[in-house]
């Protein structure tokens, strides 16, 4: 009987561990969600006319810190001219970490 209890306890531990890892372990946002968050941020200062995002995260070094980010872009029409920006969005939070003029 004790062997059976030990096997049940080990099995239950694996199942609970797997469930917790599945629920809590994957903290990365999808690239699509990160893009939507960035678009909402850019829309606060005016309309946008286009956007894109790379699907693979990369590392960005800024001010001596390393960030795991998605790289994307936003296009705006300002005075009849397309103005393009490259942004870097944090993989876990979706916060825009850096923005650069593309033109």
């Amino acid at each position: 009987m004790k062997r059976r209890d030990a096997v049940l306890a080990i099995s239950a531990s694996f199942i609970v561990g797997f469930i917790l890892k599945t629920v809590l372990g994957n903290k990365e946002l999808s690239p699509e969600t990160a893009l939507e968050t960035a678009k909402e941020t850019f829309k606060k200062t005016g309309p946008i006319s286009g956007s894109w995002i790379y699907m693979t995260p990369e590392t960005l070094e800024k001010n001596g810190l390393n960030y795991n980010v998605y790289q994307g872009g936003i296009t705006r029409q300002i005075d009849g001219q397309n103005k393009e920006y490259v942004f870097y969005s944090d993989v876990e939070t979706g916060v825009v970490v850096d923005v650069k003029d593309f033109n």
Side-chain angles (χ1 to χ4, degrees), residues 58-63 65-69 90-91 97:
E58 59 185 66
T59 301
L60 172 71
E61 189 275 323
K62 181 174 178 172
N63 298 327
L65 299 173
N66 289 324
Y67 296 92
N68 196 19
V69 296
D90 186 82
V91 169
V97 176

Side-chain angles (χ1 to χ4, degrees), residues 29 34 37-38 41 67-70 87-98:
L29 295 176
T37 302
T41 302
Y67 296 92
N68 196 19
V69 296
Y70 292 114
F87 68 87
Y88 298 90
S89 182
D90 186 82
V91 169
E92 291 182 9
T93 64
V95 172
V96 176
V97 176
D98 195 15

